[in-house]
Amino acid sequence: MNIDRLEVLVVDDDDCIREVLTTTLEVIGGFDVVPAASANLALDWIRRRRFDLVVLDAMMPDTSGKQMLERLRIEMPGFSTPVVLVTARTDPDDFDDFQRLGVVSVVTKPFPTLEFPNMLRQVVDDSRLVP
Amino acid sequence: MTPDSSPDRAHLLERRLHDVFHRHERSLHQELDRLEHLVEGLGEGPAHVFDDRLQEARRISHRLTGSLGLLGVTGAARAAARIQSSLHDRVPASEVNLPRLVRLIRRHLERHRRASNPPAAPDCG
């Protein structure tokens, strides 16, 4: 398992959830976390900085997670950072669309917070194995 | 720093999440107030009002399920999930008492708050 310090962008409009995710990833995972409260803020960060992983809320009021990824594909076609989608509701019909947009894993809220950092690290490790 | 899931870190996380809970406790209660108001009035008014209320109640219960679960207020998260699924499936009011579930969430929040603010230990000597 890789033990380097991962740089993770956490995108969620809910202040409380964003804070819980950031705290958990910093304290347990030792990750370097950048929190973003909207898709627009997240896109600004992605344009300026390279991340190892994006943790993205599916349902946001102004621009949804899916809309954000669609914009990202148009603006930065070579964007290859793995994206983990966090959602409270799973709709299997959406999975194919999300995969096409770079989502490598879908996590349903609520989930065990203590295990979340290791799960994300595994996602990053797996994505690095893909040439 | 390396990843570490030692008991010390788990304990530190627990304390930090209690801090997060306290910072957001007021807004969680405000969301619950709004949810209670919405579910109590769900049967009233014309169809479009019902739909608007239902949509908003679904959004709030969805948010509460996620945040309460991640904060570790598991009983409250379960009740919020029950509200969420009842609203999604349009379960009739005769089969599920939504205001009662909202009150149950409040009780769980209160218990969680007390648990994270244990009374000070008595002075020795």
Side-chain angles (χ1 to χ4, degrees):
Chain A
M1 180 180 280
N2 242 319
I3 54 165
D4 56 343
R5 191 179 177 99
L6 298 182
E7 302 201 356
V8 181
L9 178 65
V10 170
V11 192
D12 200 310
D13 65 299
D14 187 305
D15 295 344
C16 181
I17 291 177
R18 198 173 61 250
E19 222 176 305
V20 171
L21 293 178
T22 301
T23 302
T24 303
L25 297 181
E26 286 175 346
V27 172
I28 300 295
F31 298 168
D32 185 4
V33 182
V34 172
S38 71
N40 285 334
L41 288 170
L43 287 168
D44 282 346
W45 273 109
I46 290 169
R47 286 182 200 110
R48 284 185 279 141
R49 181 169 160 179
R50 188 178 166 79
F51 291 94
D52 296 301
L53 183 74
V54 176
V55 177
L56 176 65
D57 181 29
M59 285 178 69
M60 293 187 286
D62 296 326
T63 305
S64 71
K66 190 174 177 181
Q67 288 166 331
M68 178 188 133
L69 292 175
E70 284 167 345
R71 275 176 59 184
L72 195 55
R73 291 289 141 198
I74 293 167
E75 204 179 304
M76 298 170 69
F79 180 78
S80 60
T81 302
V83 178
V84 171
L85 193 78
V86 178
T87 175
R89 195 167 60 88
T90 50
D91 188 348
D93 292 344
D94 289 338
F95 283 178
D96 288 347
D97 277 349
F98 280 125
Q99 269 187 329
R100 183 177 51 79
L101 291 167
V103 171
V104 293
S105 182
V106 177
V107 180
T108 307
K109 284 184 281 190
F111 47 81
T113 43
L114 276 175
E115 294 162 24
F116 193 50
N118 271 342
M119 198 214 89
L120 295 187
R121 191 170 285 280
Q122 191 64 54
V123 166
V124 173
D125 287 347
D126 290 348
S127 72
R128 284 173 178 171
L129 292 176
V130 179
Chain B
M1 186 186 292
T2 57
D4 186 350
S5 54
S6 67
D8 281 353
R9 289 218 166 263
H11 185 63
L12 175 61
L13 178 65
E14 190 182 347
R15 279 193 286 126
R16 294 275 301 272
L17 291 186
H18 277 308
D19 293 342
V20 176
F21 172 77
H22 289 302
R23 275 197 293 280
H24 293 278
E25 191 181 1
R26 182 191 291 258
S27 66
L28 290 170
H29 277 289
Q30 285 168 346
E31 296 233 296
L32 275 174
D33 289 344
R34 179 69 186 148
L35 182 61
E36 189 168 36
H37 172 74
L38 289 167
V39 297
E40 280 177 347
L42 257 187
E44 300 161 10
H48 71 276
V49 174
F50 172 84
D51 283 345
D52 287 349
R53 286 181 169 210
L54 183 63
Q55 288 306 327
E56 190 182 350
R58 279 178 180 167
R59 271 197 301 275
I60 294 174
S61 61
H62 164 100
R63 269 204 306 271
L64 286 170
T65 302
S67 47
L68 293 171
L70 292 176
L71 281 166
V73 197
T74 46
R78 272 199 300 272
R82 178 122 190 262
I83 294 173
Q84 187 189 345
S85 62
S86 300
L87 292 170
H88 188 263
D89 299 337
R90 295 188 178 226
V91 175
S94 57
E95 290 179 30
V96 60
N97 189 335
L98 295 178
R100 190 176 149 271
L101 285 170
V102 173
R103 289 194 292 275
L104 179 63
I105 294 174
R106 279 218 183 82
R107 280 205 296 278
H108 278 292
L109 286 181
E110 177 59 24
R111 204 175 300 158
H112 192 77
R113 189 182 63 75
R114 275 191 265 117
S116 60
N117 271 329
D123 288 335
C124 297

